[in-house]
Amino acid sequence: MSDVVALNLPECLPRLWRFALRLTRDPHDAEDLVQRTCLRALEKKHLYRDQNRLLSWLFAIEHRLWLSDFSDRYRHSTDAIDDNGLMQSFPDKSAGPEDIFFYQQVRSAVNQLREPYRSVIQLVAVEECSYEECAQILEIPIGTVMSRLSRARQMIGTQFAPPTSAENLAGDSTVLPFNPFLKRQVKR
Amino acid sequence: MNLFTDEVLLDYVQQRLSPTMSQKLERAIQNDSELALRVKNLRCGELPYTAVFAYESLPPVPTHLMEQVHLWARLSMRSISDAASARQKPQAQFFGAKLGAKSNALWRAFSLKGIRASILSALGLSIVLSFGMGAGVSTWVLSSQADDANSWTTAVALYQRLYQRETLEAVNFDAPQTHQLLVDLQKRYGMHLRVPDLQSEGLELKRVQFLALAQKPIVQIAYMPKVGTPIALCVTLSGSRDDQAIHHKEYAGQHMLVWRQQGISYLLIGTQSEQELRQFMPKLQSALWS
């Protein structure tokens, strides 16, 4: 079983890299985190038991290392979580400006979440892990995963909610994020 | 106790709540503006996250990181097979068994004692080399402070045996980086090194890099032959000023031509036979000393 880890580790590398980038928002830290994750996985490979869940096992190691070794430097600063910086370096020009704006708004909203909520959103909504897998990776009960996911979506939802009629009547001039997703829903 | 927890609201929005509970919740929403707001925000937070993040254009996995992980994985698997064959054939594989055990021990030492972190930060991209050298190099450092030719060539052989064609296939020769490395080499160690061009011998120059060896540099110049596994010329400072003629050694499946000239030790290494390696020597020596 332990050889399964060494044999399949390179194949998991793109997902580990992506998850690390999204945790750290910094390619240098992401690289360091992935290196540590791979070394830790190889030195602990005798502890790997579940043949079909290697990626979850690796994500768990990566997340644990992120919490223990990296997250302190980001905890008090949202500046480090700079979505634009990462995007500007690697632009994708395949989408229209409305979509780009909306996507940036959503990513920004996710990145501004506090760590417990951000990780749950990343794993469930982005990496498409099941609640059970997410619970294993974060080492928390499934109920807590659901609770955090719900709270995270509520927090994000406040930024994407359409104005109530009362707010409109009161002349609320707050600029709401443009949400083509909602626009499309309305059109349908 | 709050009946409508965040979990329940999530189930409701995702239409997984039982009809009975859903009706209770909908009745409660009529009379509880705060609850209504929570549900509204939750609905508004149901966004196409997968699509949004799939669109995000992230940098690709760095090539050197991929190489590192492949190398570590291979080394990890090899240390197990070394140990297994040592258990099966204790007499015939005595030397191999010793190496296997050392390899495991040094793997653990490397992994557990924080060495990796310092190497990672100190050497950056050359981590592949420092780790690859780990087993042999550490043995050398511990066992002898002298310029023991057997030790450094053994260390290089243990590293070189990890090289397959795919190790270098994706590597493109980086001339500016090589120039900088040669400048550093001269500045730090007073070693003036020419990088031999062996294209006419069918060897494509792929990479020039430092291998970490205590306080001494080993420079590895890696070539890709038209067929077979990569060949490397390794160079290090020698503790002896005496010249030494070319002689052949074999270790860990690697053939080596070793010699010493003007205080510098040279090693040409590959899985190719001694005769094949010797064919490169005239051109190599002329390129080094012309």
Side-chain angles (χ1 to χ4, degrees), chain B residues 194-213:
Chain B
R194 291 169 192 270
V195 176
D197 178 359
L198 300 177
Q199 195 75 42
S200 61
E201 308 299 302
L203 297 182
E204 184 191 355
L205 179 59
K206 280 293 194 176
R207 186 163 61 191
V208 182
Q209 56 192 359
F210 275 118
L211 309 182
L213 174 56

Side-chain angles (χ1 to χ4, degrees), chain B residues 199-269:
Chain B
Q199 195 75 42
S200 61
E201 308 299 302
L203 297 182
E204 184 191 355
L205 179 59
K206 280 293 194 176
R207 186 163 61 191
V208 182
Q209 56 192 359
F210 275 118
L211 309 182
L213 174 56
Q215 300 302 310
K216 293 180 67 170
I218 290 181
V219 179
Q220 183 215 41
I221 305 171
Y223 298 92
M224 181 78 100
K226 290 202 168 99
V227 290
T229 52
I231 289 173
L233 172 68
C234 295
V235 182
T236 189
L237 291 169
S238 169
S240 168
R241 297 295 303 174
D242 296 336
D243 288 355
Q244 189 179 42
I246 299 168
H247 59 283
H248 172 254
K249 293 164 72 166
E250 188 179 348
Y251 185 73
Q254 302 292 316
H255 289 274
M256 296 177 270
L257 296 179
V258 187
W259 71 101
R260 192 165 58 223
Q261 200 163 352
Q262 296 186 6
I264 296 178
S265 295
Y266 297 90
L267 165 64
L268 184 66
I269 184 168

Side-chain angles (χ1 to χ4, degrees), chain B residues 100-113:
Chain B
K102 272 185 184 169
S103 173
N104 277 332
L106 285 159
W107 167 266
R108 284 195 296 275
F110 179 80
S111 300
L112 296 174
K113 290 186 178 174

Side-chain angles (χ1 to χ4, degrees), chain A residues 87-158:
Chain A
M87 286 298 291
Q88 280 167 6
S89 303
F90 307 96
D92 183 335
K93 295 171 182 169
S94 61
E98 287 186 355
D99 289 329
I100 290 174
F101 184 71
F102 170 61
Y103 292 169
Q104 284 179 345
Q105 296 272 317
V106 175
R107 279 198 299 271
S108 174
V110 170
N111 290 335
Q112 281 168 14
L113 292 172
R114 285 193 294 120
E115 162 52 29
Y117 303 106
R118 193 156 61 94
S119 290
V120 170
I121 283 275
Q122 287 288 355
L123 287 168
V124 175
V126 181
E127 296 295 337
E128 297 182 301
C129 294
S130 66
Y131 293 160
E132 189 188 355
E133 285 169 332
C134 184
Q136 282 182 347
I137 292 166
L138 301 180
E139 296 169 321
I140 53 177
I142 289 180
T144 308
V145 169
M146 291 183 66
S147 168
R148 285 184 187 175
L149 187 64
S150 178
R151 293 291 299 278
R153 286 185 173 171
Q154 288 176 53
M155 284 186 264
I156 291 170
T158 57

Side-chain angles (χ1 to χ4, degrees), chain B:
Chain B
M1 183 183 156
N2 183 6
L3 188 62
F4 304 116
T5 62
D6 289 320
E7 285 174 67
V8 171
L9 297 190
L10 184 66
D11 277 340
Y12 172 70
V13 168
Q14 295 182 335
Q15 299 180 341
R16 288 199 303 246
L17 203 59
S18 68
T20 315
M21 273 298 284
S22 293
Q23 285 166 7
K24 275 187 188 173
L25 177 58
E26 282 159 4
R27 277 197 298 273
I29 285 172
Q30 302 295 323
N31 304 312
D32 186 339
S33 59
E34 192 191 335
L35 182 62
L37 185 62
R38 284 167 66 201
V39 172
K40 176 191 163 192
N41 286 337
L42 191 49
R43 284 193 196 284
C44 291
E46 291 263 297
L47 297 166
Y49 297 100
T50 310
V52 163
F53 280 89
Y55 162 78
E56 186 179 36
S57 188
L58 297 173
V61 184
T63 307
H64 57 269
L65 181 60
M66 274 195 283
E67 287 177 9
Q68 271 172 28
V69 173
H70 275 93
L71 180 65
W72 291 344
R74 279 206 300 273
L75 191 65
S76 174
M77 283 188 282
R78 197 160 297 191
S79 66
I80 287 173
S81 69
D82 281 352
S85 45
R87 280 194 297 274
Q88 285 166 3
K89 302 177 189 173
Q91 295 303 318
Q93 298 289 324
F94 175 71
F95 199 31
K98 198 175 165 190
L99 280 173
K102 272 185 184 169
S103 173
N104 277 332
L106 285 159
W107 167 266
R108 284 195 296 275
F110 179 80
S111 300
L112 296 174
K113 290 186 178 174
I115 299 170
R116 61 186 181 193
S118 56
I119 291 177
L120 288 176
S121 56
L123 298 182
L125 305 189
S126 62
I127 177 63
V128 173
L129 310 171
S130 56
F131 177 71
M133 292 296 293
V137 170
S138 303
T139 308
W140 179 72
V141 172
L142 292 172
S143 64
S144 168
Q145 294 302 313
D147 180 21
D148 180 353
N150 283 330
S151 299
W152 87 276
T153 56
T154 297
V156 171
L158 285 172
Y159 175 62
Q160 184 70 23
R161 73 173 180 169
L162 299 169
Y163 267 61
Q164 304 298 321
R165 284 191 73 82
E166 60 265 30
T167 314
L168 291 177
E169 245 159 14
V171 174
N172 292 316
F173 179 67
D174 188 333
Q177 190 183 45
T178 300
H179 173 74
Q180 189 56 51
L181 183 145
L182 295 176
V183 169
D184 289 347
L185 187 67
Q186 186 158 29
K187 202 182 291 179
R188 291 170 61 188
Y189 301 101
M191 189 195 291
H192 177 68
L193 179 66
R194 291 169 192 270
V195 176
D197 178 359
L198 300 177
Q199 195 75 42
S200 61
E201 308 299 302
L203 297 182
E204 184 191 355
L205 179 59
K206 280 293 194 176
R207 186 163 61 191
V208 182
Q209 56 192 359
F210 275 118
L211 309 182
L213 174 56
Q215 300 302 310
K216 293 180 67 170
I218 290 181
V219 179
Q220 183 215 41
I221 305 171
Y223 298 92
M224 181 78 100
K226 290 202 168 99
V227 290
T229 52
I231 289 173
L233 172 68
C234 295
V235 182
T236 189
L237 291 169
S238 169
S240 168
R241 297 295 303 174
D242 296 336
D243 288 355
Q244 189 179 42
I246 299 168
H247 59 283
H248 172 254
K249 293 164 72 166
E250 188 179 348
Y251 185 73
Q254 302 292 316
H255 289 274
M256 296 177 270
L257 296 179
V258 187
W259 71 101
R260 192 165 58 223
Q261 200 163 352
Q262 296 186 6
I264 296 178
S265 295
Y266 297 90
L267 165 64
L268 184 66
I269 184 168
T271 56
Q272 292 74 3
S273 69
E274 177 187 358
Q275 288 69 29
E276 284 174 286
L277 290 179
R278 281 192 185 273
Q279 286 173 5
F280 303 122
M281 287 308 297
K283 178 76 177 177
L284 186 61
Q285 287 201 299
S286 109
L288 280 169
W289 296 101
S290 60

